[in-house]
Amino acid sequence: LPAVDLSRWWSVFDDPTLFALEERAVRSNLDLLQAEARIRQARAARGIAAGGLGPTVDAGASFLRSRSPGRTSNWQDGETRGVVSNTYDAGFDAGWELDIFGGIRRSIEAADADLQAAVEDRRDVLVTLTAEVARNYIELRAFQQRIEIARQNLATQQHSARLTRQRFEGGFVSGLDVANADAQVATTASVIPQLEAAARQSIYALGFLLGQEPAALMAELSPAADIPPAPPAAPAGLPSDLLRRRPDIRRAEADIHAATARIGVATAELFPKFTITGAAGARSGDFSSWLTWPQRFWSLGPSVSWRVFDTGRTRSAIEQQEALQEQTLIAYRQTVLTALQEVENALIAAAKEQERRRALADAVAANRKAVSLAKTLYTQGQTDFLNVLDAQRSLFLTEETFVLSTSAMSTDLVALYKAIGGGWSRTAETTERDN
Protein backbone atom coordinates (compact mmCIF):
# COMPACT_ATOMS: atom_id res chain seq x y z
CA LEU A 1 0.00 0.00 0.00
CA PRO A 2 1.31 3.50 -0.75
CA ALA A 3 2.82 5.23 2.27
CA VAL A 4 -0.09 7.16 3.74
CA ASP A 5 -1.49 7.98 7.15
CA LEU A 6 -4.31 5.43 7.30
CA SER A 7 -6.07 7.43 9.99
CA ARG A 8 -6.54 10.20 7.38
CA TRP A 9 -6.41 8.21 4.17
CA TRP A 10 -8.62 10.72 2.35
CA SER A 11 -5.59 13.00 2.07
CA VAL A 12 -4.44 10.87 -0.91
CA PHE A 13 -7.13 12.58 -3.01
CA ASP A 14 -5.54 15.99 -2.40
CA ASP A 15 -8.95 17.67 -2.18
CA PRO A 16 -9.21 20.40 0.51
CA THR A 17 -13.01 20.36 0.44
CA LEU A 18 -13.13 16.61 1.06
CA PHE A 19 -10.57 16.93 3.84
CA ALA A 20 -12.64 19.64 5.55
CA LEU A 21 -15.84 17.60 5.23
CA GLU A 22 -14.18 14.56 6.83
CA GLU A 23 -12.88 16.59 9.77
CA ARG A 24 -16.28 18.17 10.37
CA ALA A 25 -18.07 14.82 10.14
CA VAL A 26 -15.79 13.31 12.79
CA ARG A 27 -16.70 16.16 15.13
CA SER A 28 -20.45 16.28 14.61
CA ASN A 29 -21.84 13.01 13.20
CA LEU A 30 -24.72 11.81 15.38
CA ASP A 31 -23.98 8.08 15.01
CA LEU A 32 -20.45 8.73 16.21
CA LEU A 33 -21.71 10.72 19.20
CA GLN A 34 -24.00 7.81 20.09
CA ALA A 35 -21.07 5.39 19.90
CA GLU A 36 -19.08 7.62 22.25
CA ALA A 37 -21.99 7.59 24.71
CA ARG A 38 -21.98 3.77 24.57
CA ILE A 39 -18.31 3.81 25.53
CA ARG A 40 -19.14 5.86 28.61
CA GLN A 41 -21.95 3.43 29.41
CA ALA A 42 -19.59 0.43 29.14
CA ARG A 43 -17.01 2.20 31.30
CA ALA A 44 -19.62 2.79 33.99
CA ALA A 45 -20.69 -0.87 33.81
CA ARG A 46 -17.06 -1.84 34.34
CA GLY A 47 -16.98 0.38 37.45
CA ILE A 48 -20.08 -1.38 38.79
CA ALA A 49 -18.44 -4.79 38.31
CA ALA A 50 -15.19 -3.64 39.92
CA GLY A 51 -17.12 -2.38 42.94
CA GLY A 52 -17.90 -5.98 43.85
CA LEU A 53 -14.30 -6.58 44.94
CA GLY A 54 -14.53 -4.14 47.85
CA PRO A 55 -16.66 -4.02 50.97
CA THR A 56 -19.97 -2.22 51.25
CA VAL A 57 -20.79 0.03 54.18
CA ASP A 58 -24.27 1.34 54.95
CA ALA A 59 -24.93 4.09 57.48
CA GLY A 60 -28.29 4.63 59.12
CA ALA A 61 -30.10 6.24 62.00
CA SER A 62 -33.60 5.78 63.34
CA PHE A 63 -35.97 6.84 66.07
CA LEU A 64 -38.71 4.53 67.29
CA ARG A 65 -41.47 5.34 69.79
CA SER A 66 -43.48 2.29 70.87
CA ARG A 67 -46.11 1.18 73.34
CA SER A 68 -46.32 -2.27 74.79
CA PRO A 69 -49.20 -3.68 76.84
CA GLY A 70 -48.63 -3.89 80.57
CA ARG A 71 -50.26 -3.66 84.01
CA THR A 72 -48.35 -0.79 85.44
CA SER A 73 -50.71 1.37 87.54
CA ASN A 74 -50.39 5.01 86.65
CA TRP A 75 -53.48 6.38 88.35
CA GLN A 76 -54.75 6.34 91.86
CA ASP A 77 -58.09 4.97 90.73
CA GLY A 78 -56.51 1.70 89.68
CA GLU A 79 -56.47 2.25 85.91
CA THR A 80 -53.53 0.58 84.16
CA ARG A 81 -51.65 1.62 81.03
CA GLY A 82 -49.04 0.06 78.73
CA VAL A 83 -45.39 1.03 78.76
CA VAL A 84 -44.36 3.74 76.27
CA SER A 85 -40.67 3.74 75.31
CA ASN A 86 -38.30 5.51 72.89
CA THR A 87 -35.43 3.92 71.00
CA TYR A 88 -32.64 5.94 69.36
CA ASP A 89 -30.43 3.94 67.00
CA ALA A 90 -27.47 4.93 64.77
CA GLY A 91 -24.67 2.89 63.28
CA PHE A 92 -22.94 1.25 60.36
CA ASP A 93 -23.51 -2.12 58.68
CA ALA A 94 -20.68 -3.55 56.55
CA GLY A 95 -20.28 -6.58 54.34
CA TRP A 96 -17.44 -7.94 52.23
CA GLU A 97 -17.76 -10.94 49.94
CA LEU A 98 -14.41 -12.67 49.53
CA ASP A 99 -13.89 -13.51 45.86
CA ILE A 100 -12.19 -16.82 46.60
CA PHE A 101 -13.40 -18.60 43.43
CA GLY A 102 -12.99 -15.64 41.07
CA GLY A 103 -16.59 -14.94 40.10
CA ILE A 104 -16.26 -11.18 40.64
CA ARG A 105 -12.87 -11.04 38.94
CA ARG A 106 -14.35 -12.80 35.91
CA SER A 107 -17.18 -10.25 35.90
CA ILE A 108 -14.61 -7.45 35.79
CA GLU A 109 -12.77 -9.25 32.99
CA ALA A 110 -16.00 -9.51 30.99
CA ALA A 111 -16.75 -5.83 31.62
CA ASP A 112 -13.26 -4.90 30.40
CA ALA A 113 -13.89 -6.85 27.20
CA ASP A 114 -17.29 -5.18 26.78
CA LEU A 115 -15.60 -1.80 27.15
CA GLN A 116 -13.06 -2.71 24.47
CA ALA A 117 -15.89 -3.89 22.22
CA ALA A 118 -17.61 -0.50 22.67
CA VAL A 119 -14.37 1.26 21.72
CA GLU A 120 -14.11 -0.90 18.60
CA ASP A 121 -17.76 -0.16 17.80
CA ARG A 122 -16.92 3.54 17.80
CA ARG A 123 -13.96 2.90 15.52
CA ASP A 124 -16.19 0.88 13.20
CA VAL A 125 -18.65 3.78 13.03
CA LEU A 126 -15.72 6.10 12.34
CA VAL A 127 -14.41 3.91 9.51
CA THR A 128 -17.86 3.69 7.93
CA LEU A 129 -18.48 7.41 8.39
CA THR A 130 -15.28 8.56 6.70
CA ALA A 131 -15.87 6.16 3.80
CA GLU A 132 -19.48 7.33 3.37
CA VAL A 133 -18.46 11.00 3.37
CA ALA A 134 -15.84 10.33 0.70
CA ARG A 135 -18.16 8.16 -1.38
CA ASN A 136 -20.99 10.71 -1.36
CA TYR A 137 -18.58 13.54 -2.14
CA ILE A 138 -17.11 11.64 -5.10
CA GLU A 139 -20.61 10.82 -6.35
CA LEU A 140 -21.57 14.50 -6.07
CA ARG A 141 -18.61 15.59 -8.17
CA ALA A 142 -19.37 12.84 -10.70
CA PHE A 143 -22.97 13.99 -11.01
CA GLN A 144 -21.77 17.55 -11.53
CA GLN A 145 -19.35 16.41 -14.23
CA ARG A 146 -22.09 14.41 -15.94
CA ILE A 147 -24.37 17.46 -15.86
CA GLU A 148 -21.62 19.51 -17.52
CA ILE A 149 -21.11 16.83 -20.20
CA ALA A 150 -24.86 16.62 -20.83
CA ARG A 151 -25.08 20.40 -21.22
CA GLN A 152 -22.13 20.47 -23.61
CA ASN A 153 -23.62 17.68 -25.71
CA LEU A 154 -27.00 19.39 -25.58
CA ALA A 155 -25.46 22.58 -26.95
CA THR A 156 -23.76 20.63 -29.72
CA GLN A 157 -26.95 18.79 -30.60
CA GLN A 158 -28.95 22.02 -30.59
CA HIS A 159 -26.43 23.50 -33.01
CA SER A 160 -26.79 20.43 -35.25
CA ALA A 161 -30.57 20.70 -35.06
CA ARG A 162 -30.43 24.34 -36.22
CA LEU A 163 -28.20 23.40 -39.15
CA THR A 164 -30.51 20.57 -40.08
CA ARG A 165 -33.53 22.89 -40.00
CA GLN A 166 -31.70 25.36 -42.21
CA ARG A 167 -30.85 22.59 -44.68
CA PHE A 168 -34.47 21.46 -44.59
CA GLU A 169 -35.67 24.96 -45.33
CA GLY A 170 -33.19 25.04 -48.21
CA GLY A 171 -34.59 21.79 -49.56
CA PHE A 172 -31.43 19.75 -49.05
CA VAL A 173 -32.81 17.27 -46.49
CA SER A 174 -36.17 15.82 -45.55
CA GLY A 175 -38.27 16.56 -42.49
CA LEU A 176 -37.16 13.20 -41.05
CA ASP A 177 -33.70 14.61 -40.32
CA VAL A 178 -35.27 17.55 -38.51
CA ALA A 179 -37.44 15.25 -36.41
CA ASN A 180 -34.47 13.02 -35.52
CA ALA A 181 -32.39 16.04 -34.54
CA ASP A 182 -35.17 17.46 -32.36
CA ALA A 183 -35.68 14.06 -30.71
CA GLN A 184 -31.98 13.81 -29.93
CA VAL A 185 -32.05 17.27 -28.32
CA ALA A 186 -35.12 16.43 -26.23
CA THR A 187 -33.64 13.10 -25.10
CA THR A 188 -30.41 14.70 -23.90
CA ALA A 189 -32.29 17.55 -22.22
CA SER A 190 -34.38 15.02 -20.28
CA VAL A 191 -31.24 13.59 -18.64
CA ILE A 192 -30.17 16.86 -17.01
CA PRO A 193 -33.01 17.24 -14.42
CA GLN A 194 -32.46 13.68 -13.25
CA LEU A 195 -28.74 14.32 -12.74
CA GLU A 196 -29.44 17.61 -10.97
CA ALA A 197 -31.79 15.83 -8.56
CA ALA A 198 -29.17 13.16 -7.85
CA ALA A 199 -26.50 15.81 -7.23
CA ARG A 200 -28.73 17.62 -4.78
CA GLN A 201 -29.51 14.35 -2.98
CA SER A 202 -25.76 13.75 -2.58
CA ILE A 203 -25.45 17.16 -0.94
CA TYR A 204 -28.35 16.29 1.36
CA ALA A 205 -26.63 13.01 2.27
CA LEU A 206 -23.42 14.84 3.15
CA GLY A 207 -25.34 17.28 5.32
CA PHE A 208 -26.92 14.37 7.19
CA LEU A 209 -23.52 12.71 7.71
CA LEU A 210 -22.22 15.97 9.19
CA GLY A 211 -25.12 16.09 11.63
CA GLN A 212 -26.69 19.10 9.92
CA GLU A 213 -29.90 19.87 8.11
CA PRO A 214 -29.94 18.35 4.60
CA ALA A 215 -29.71 21.68 2.76
CA ALA A 216 -27.05 23.17 5.04
CA LEU A 217 -24.24 22.49 2.52
CA MET A 218 -26.05 23.62 -0.63
CA ALA A 219 -24.23 26.95 -0.99
CA GLU A 220 -20.87 25.37 -0.22
CA LEU A 221 -21.07 22.33 -2.52
CA SER A 222 -23.31 23.45 -5.39
CA PRO A 223 -20.44 24.94 -7.47
CA ALA A 224 -19.11 22.16 -9.68
CA ALA A 225 -15.60 20.78 -9.13
CA ASP A 226 -13.49 17.93 -10.45
CA ILE A 227 -13.78 14.38 -9.18
CA PRO A 228 -11.08 13.75 -6.54
CA PRO A 229 -8.49 11.78 -8.54
CA ALA A 230 -7.25 8.42 -7.31
CA PRO A 231 -3.48 7.78 -7.32
CA PRO A 232 -2.22 6.56 -10.72
CA ALA A 233 -1.49 3.03 -9.51
CA ALA A 234 -3.61 0.84 -7.27
CA PRO A 235 -1.83 -1.16 -4.52
CA ALA A 236 -0.52 -4.46 -5.86
CA GLY A 237 -0.67 -6.25 -2.55
CA LEU A 238 -1.66 -5.82 1.07
CA PRO A 239 0.08 -7.17 4.20
CA SER A 240 -2.31 -9.42 6.04
CA ASP A 241 -1.47 -7.78 9.37
CA LEU A 242 -3.27 -4.64 8.16
CA LEU A 243 -6.49 -6.60 8.70
CA ARG A 244 -5.75 -6.24 12.40
CA ARG A 245 -6.75 -2.63 11.95
CA ARG A 246 -10.33 -3.57 11.18
CA PRO A 247 -12.53 -2.64 14.14
CA ASP A 248 -15.02 -5.42 13.44
CA ILE A 249 -12.29 -8.05 13.82
CA ARG A 250 -11.01 -6.41 16.99
CA ARG A 251 -14.57 -6.21 18.34
CA ALA A 252 -15.11 -9.91 17.57
CA GLU A 253 -11.98 -10.72 19.57
CA ALA A 254 -13.29 -8.66 22.49
CA ASP A 255 -16.63 -10.50 22.28
CA ILE A 256 -14.79 -13.84 22.56
CA HIS A 257 -12.91 -12.57 25.59
CA ALA A 258 -16.13 -11.41 27.27
CA ALA A 259 -17.95 -14.67 26.52
CA THR A 260 -15.06 -16.72 27.95
CA ALA A 261 -14.99 -14.63 31.12
CA ARG A 262 -18.72 -15.08 31.62
CA ILE A 263 -18.22 -18.85 31.65
CA GLY A 264 -16.05 -18.24 34.70
CA VAL A 265 -18.75 -16.08 36.29
CA ALA A 266 -21.33 -18.85 35.83
CA THR A 267 -18.93 -21.54 37.06
CA ALA A 268 -18.24 -19.62 40.30
CA GLU A 269 -21.89 -20.18 41.26
CA LEU A 270 -21.06 -23.85 41.86
CA PHE A 271 -18.94 -22.98 44.88
CA PRO A 272 -19.70 -21.49 48.30
CA LYS A 273 -19.63 -17.75 48.96
CA PHE A 274 -17.71 -16.42 51.94
CA THR A 275 -18.68 -13.08 53.45
CA ILE A 276 -17.43 -11.03 56.39
CA THR A 277 -20.17 -8.95 58.00
CA GLY A 278 -20.03 -6.42 60.77
CA ALA A 279 -22.01 -3.70 62.48
CA ALA A 280 -21.21 -0.88 64.90
CA GLY A 281 -23.19 1.96 66.39
CA ALA A 282 -25.03 3.32 69.40
CA ARG A 283 -28.50 2.49 70.76
CA SER A 284 -30.34 4.09 73.66
CA GLY A 285 -33.79 4.70 75.05
CA ASP A 286 -32.87 8.21 76.11
CA PHE A 287 -31.86 10.90 73.67
CA SER A 288 -29.54 12.58 76.15
CA SER A 289 -27.42 9.44 76.54
CA TRP A 290 -27.80 8.20 72.96
CA LEU A 291 -24.28 8.86 71.72
CA THR A 292 -22.43 8.21 74.98
CA TRP A 293 -19.76 5.51 75.19
CA PRO A 294 -21.74 2.99 77.26
CA GLN A 295 -24.50 2.85 74.60
CA ARG A 296 -22.22 1.54 71.86
CA PHE A 297 -22.58 -1.88 70.25
CA TRP A 298 -20.65 -3.83 67.60
CA SER A 299 -20.56 -7.21 65.91
CA LEU A 300 -18.14 -8.91 63.52
CA GLY A 301 -18.05 -12.37 62.01
CA PRO A 302 -17.77 -14.49 58.88
CA SER A 303 -20.58 -16.26 57.09
CA VAL A 304 -20.77 -18.83 54.35
CA SER A 305 -23.57 -19.72 51.94
CA TRP A 306 -23.64 -22.53 49.43
CA ARG A 307 -26.43 -23.40 47.07
CA VAL A 308 -26.38 -27.16 47.25
CA PHE A 309 -29.40 -27.80 45.04
CA ASP A 310 -31.05 -25.69 42.32
CA THR A 311 -32.49 -28.35 39.98
CA GLY A 312 -29.60 -27.92 37.51
CA ARG A 313 -29.99 -24.18 37.02
CA THR A 314 -26.33 -23.31 37.56
CA ARG A 315 -25.00 -26.01 35.25
CA SER A 316 -27.49 -24.97 32.60
CA ALA A 317 -26.25 -21.40 32.94
CA ILE A 318 -22.69 -22.64 32.37
CA GLU A 319 -23.78 -24.56 29.27
CA GLN A 320 -25.57 -21.45 28.04
CA GLN A 321 -22.41 -19.34 28.35
CA GLU A 322 -20.34 -22.03 26.65
CA ALA A 323 -22.77 -22.03 23.71
CA LEU A 324 -22.57 -18.24 23.53
CA GLN A 325 -18.78 -18.46 23.45
CA GLU A 326 -18.98 -20.96 20.60
CA GLN A 327 -21.20 -18.52 18.70
CA THR A 328 -18.67 -15.70 19.17
CA LEU A 329 -15.88 -17.93 17.87
CA ILE A 330 -17.88 -18.73 14.74
CA ALA A 331 -18.75 -15.05 14.32
CA TYR A 332 -15.04 -14.18 14.58
CA ARG A 333 -14.13 -16.63 11.82
CA GLN A 334 -16.89 -15.26 9.62
CA THR A 335 -15.76 -11.67 10.26
CA VAL A 336 -12.19 -12.52 9.24
CA LEU A 337 -13.36 -14.23 6.03
CA THR A 338 -15.60 -11.26 5.21
CA ALA A 339 -12.67 -8.90 5.76
CA LEU A 340 -10.42 -10.89 3.45
CA GLN A 341 -13.12 -11.00 0.78
CA GLU A 342 -13.73 -7.25 0.98
CA VAL A 343 -10.03 -6.45 0.67
CA GLU A 344 -9.55 -8.76 -2.31
CA ASN A 345 -12.69 -7.41 -3.99
CA ALA A 346 -11.51 -3.83 -3.52
CA LEU A 347 -8.02 -4.61 -4.84
CA ILE A 348 -9.21 -6.33 -8.01
CA ALA A 349 -11.88 -3.69 -8.64
CA ALA A 350 -9.32 -0.87 -8.34
CA ALA A 351 -6.83 -2.60 -10.63
CA LYS A 352 -9.34 -3.52 -13.34
CA GLU A 353 -11.06 -0.13 -13.29
CA GLN A 354 -7.76 1.48 -14.27
CA GLU A 355 -7.60 -0.73 -17.36
CA ARG A 356 -11.21 0.11 -18.19
CA ARG A 357 -10.62 3.85 -17.82
CA ARG A 358 -7.64 3.76 -20.20
CA ALA A 359 -9.79 2.05 -22.84
CA LEU A 360 -12.60 4.55 -22.29
CA ALA A 361 -10.18 7.45 -22.76
CA ASP A 362 -9.29 6.05 -26.18
CA ALA A 363 -12.99 5.59 -26.96
CA VAL A 364 -13.79 9.21 -26.07
CA ALA A 365 -10.99 10.49 -28.32
CA ALA A 366 -12.18 8.29 -31.20
CA ASN A 367 -15.81 9.32 -30.78
CA ARG A 368 -14.93 13.01 -30.74
CA LYS A 369 -13.10 12.52 -34.03
CA ALA A 370 -16.07 10.58 -35.42
CA VAL A 371 -18.49 13.40 -34.52
CA SER A 372 -16.29 15.96 -36.22
CA LEU A 373 -15.99 13.85 -39.37
CA ALA A 374 -19.70 12.99 -39.47
CA LYS A 375 -20.70 16.67 -39.23
CA THR A 376 -18.26 17.62 -41.97
CA LEU A 377 -19.47 14.87 -44.31
CA TYR A 378 -23.09 15.70 -43.58
CA THR A 379 -22.69 19.38 -44.42
CA GLN A 380 -20.98 18.30 -47.64
CA GLY A 381 -23.85 15.97 -48.45
CA GLN A 382 -21.66 12.86 -48.36
CA THR A 383 -23.55 11.05 -45.57
CA ASP A 384 -27.00 11.05 -44.02
CA PHE A 385 -27.99 12.56 -40.69
CA LEU A 386 -28.33 9.20 -38.95
CA ASN A 387 -24.54 8.87 -38.93
CA VAL A 388 -24.29 12.27 -37.23
CA LEU A 389 -26.87 11.21 -34.63
CA ASP A 390 -25.09 7.92 -33.97
CA ALA A 391 -21.74 9.65 -33.58
CA GLN A 392 -23.13 12.24 -31.18
CA ARG A 393 -24.99 9.61 -29.18
CA SER A 394 -21.86 7.45 -28.92
CA LEU A 395 -19.78 10.42 -27.82
CA PHE A 396 -22.28 11.34 -25.11
CA LEU A 397 -22.38 7.77 -23.80
CA THR A 398 -18.61 7.28 -23.78
CA GLU A 399 -17.96 10.66 -22.15
CA GLU A 400 -20.48 9.87 -19.43
CA THR A 401 -19.07 6.37 -18.99
CA PHE A 402 -15.58 7.84 -18.75
CA VAL A 403 -16.74 10.10 -15.89
CA LEU A 404 -18.38 7.13 -14.19
CA SER A 405 -15.14 5.16 -14.51
CA THR A 406 -13.15 8.04 -13.03
CA SER A 407 -15.61 8.12 -10.15
CA ALA A 408 -15.43 4.33 -9.77
CA MET A 409 -11.63 4.44 -9.51
CA SER A 410 -11.89 6.86 -6.60
CA THR A 411 -14.74 4.98 -4.89
CA ASP A 412 -12.85 1.69 -5.31
CA LEU A 413 -9.94 3.25 -3.45
CA VAL A 414 -12.34 4.42 -0.74
CA ALA A 415 -13.65 0.86 -0.48
CA LEU A 416 -10.10 -0.44 -0.16
CA TYR A 417 -9.20 1.90 2.68
CA LYS A 418 -12.48 1.05 4.39
CA ALA A 419 -11.77 -2.68 3.95
CA ILE A 420 -8.45 -2.40 5.79
CA GLY A 421 -9.99 -0.35 8.59
CA GLY A 422 -8.58 3.04 7.68
CA GLY A 423 -9.98 6.08 9.44
CA TRP A 424 -8.83 5.73 13.05
CA SER A 425 -5.52 6.04 14.86
CA ARG A 426 -4.04 4.49 17.97
CA THR A 427 -3.06 7.98 19.08
CA ALA A 428 -6.78 8.72 19.44
CA GLU A 429 -7.19 6.04 22.12
CA THR A 430 -6.52 8.57 24.87
CA THR A 431 -9.33 10.71 23.54
CA GLU A 432 -11.63 7.69 23.38
CA ARG A 433 -10.86 6.86 27.02
CA ASP A 434 -11.73 10.39 28.04
CA ASN A 435 -15.09 10.38 26.27
Side-chain angles (χ1 to χ4, degrees):
L1 196 66
V4 63
D5 180 6
L6 289 178
S7 66
R8 284 177 171 78
W9 52 262
W10 48 89
S11 61
V12 302
F13 292 108
D14 194 24
D15 189 307
T17 302
L18 174 59
F19 197 96
L21 290 173
E22 293 283 7
E23 296 297 314
R24 289 155 60 185
V26 169
R27 291 194 301 267
S28 59
N29 179 261
L30 298 182
D31 288 334
L32 194 59
L33 293 176
Q34 282 187 331
E36 290 169 356
R38 287 193 290 269
I39 291 177
R40 294 192 292 272
Q41 177 186 0
R43 187 176 293 113
R46 196 269 180 198
I48 294 172
L53 282 177
T56 60
V57 179
D58 297 323
S62 66
F63 164 70
L64 179 65
R65 183 176 179 81
S66 61
R67 178 185 182 279
S68 59
R71 299 210 173 259
T72 303
S73 178
N74 293 314
W75 303 94
Q76 294 180 354
D77 59 3
E79 182 181 355
T80 61
R81 289 189 175 184
V83 177
V84 177
S85 62
N86 298 327
T87 303
Y88 300 89
D89 199 342
F92 299 90
D93 293 311
W96 187 7
E97 181 181 344
L98 304 179
D99 190 33
I100 295 177
F101 297 102
I104 297 176
R105 292 194 298 276
R106 297 291 80 76
S107 294
I108 297 173
E109 186 178 346
D112 283 333
D114 288 339
L115 174 57
Q116 185 61 38
V119 171
E120 300 303 338
D121 274 333
R122 178 191 177 275
R123 291 172 177 164
D124 200 16
V125 172
L126 187 59
V127 168
T128 301
L129 170 64
T130 55
E132 283 300 297
V133 170
R135 185 182 64 80
N136 279 277
Y137 180 77
I138 292 168
E139 287 182 353
L140 168 63
R141 296 313 187 194
F143 284 131
Q144 291 173 339
Q145 291 293 305
R146 292 171 65 188
I147 291 170
E148 183 62 25
I149 290 172
R151 287 173 177 168
Q152 291 174 359
N153 278 273
L154 179 61
T156 300
Q157 292 165 10
Q158 287 172 337
H159 178 69
S160 297
R162 286 194 297 270
L163 291 177
T164 303
R165 188 169 298 278
Q166 291 172 2
R167 290 174 61 82
F168 169 72
E169 292 172 353
F172 297 103
V173 297
S174 67
L176 179 60
D177 287 353
V178 176
N180 285 331
D182 290 341
Q184 180 85 318
V185 169
T187 300
T188 302
S190 69
V191 174
I192 295 176
Q194 183 180 16
L195 294 175
E196 289 174 337
R200 182 163 293 193
Q201 289 168 356
S202 294
I203 295 176
Y204 293 164
L206 286 168
F208 175 79
L209 290 172
L210 268 63
Q212 301 180 16
E213 294 182 0
L217 301 178
M218 282 297 301
E220 179 181 351
L221 298 179
S222 289
D226 293 335
I227 299 172
L238 189 69
S240 59
D241 60 346
L242 283 179
L243 291 178
R244 294 280 298 142
R245 287 188 55 86
R246 282 183 62 118
D248 54 348
I249 292 179
R250 297 163 65 93
R251 182 183 61 236
E253 292 174 347
D255 289 340
I256 293 173
H257 190 177
T260 303
R262 288 192 172 95
I263 294 175
V265 175
T267 303
E269 294 297 317
L270 291 173
F271 304 100
K273 298 181 183 296
F274 296 89
T275 306
I276 298 176
T277 60
R283 183 181 298 119
S284 174
D286 184 5
F287 182 79
S288 61
S289 63
W290 179 16
L291 300 178
T292 59
W293 188 252
Q295 306 304 322
R296 71 191 186 282
F297 68 87
W298 60 268
S299 64
L300 179 67
S303 66
V304 59
S305 63
W306 191 1
R307 183 177 298 171
V308 295
F309 181 72
D310 62 0
T311 63
R313 183 181 303 172
T314 299
R315 294 195 178 277
S316 294
I318 296 172
E319 293 176 1
Q320 179 187 40
Q321 294 302 324
E322 289 174 342
L324 289 172
Q325 184 206 37
E326 184 179 356
Q327 293 176 44
T328 59
L329 285 169
I330 295 171
Y332 173 77
R333 293 174 57 190
Q334 187 172 20
T335 301
V336 171
L337 290 176
T338 300
L340 292 171
Q341 181 187 22
E342 289 179 357
V343 171
E344 294 298 333
N345 286 344
L347 281 170
I348 191 62
K352 294 303 179 181
E353 193 61 49
Q354 290 182 359
E355 298 179 12
R356 179 171 179 260
R357 187 173 180 273
R358 286 193 291 267
L360 286 170
D362 294 337
V364 168
N367 278 317
R368 285 175 179 168
K369 184 176 180 180
V371 168
S372 177
L373 290 172
K375 289 172 65 177
T376 300
L377 292 174
Y378 176 67
T379 56
Q380 294 174 356
Q382 299 181 32
T383 187
D384 57 32
F385 190 65
L386 287 178
N387 289 327
V388 176
L389 291 177
D390 288 340
Q392 289 178 340
R393 189 180 299 112
S394 296
L395 176 60
F396 180 38
L397 291 175
T398 52
E399 284 183 332
E400 188 174 47
T401 306
F402 181 76
V403 169
L404 291 173
S405 180
T406 303
S407 172
M409 283 184 59
S410 295
T411 53
D412 286 342
L413 187 61
V414 170
L416 177 57
Y417 281 116
K418 179 184 178 183
I420 62 176
W424 66 274
S425 171
R426 293 183 184 276
T427 58
E429 289 182 349
T430 302
T431 302
E432 290 169 353
R433 285 194 296 268
D434 294 338
N435 285 330

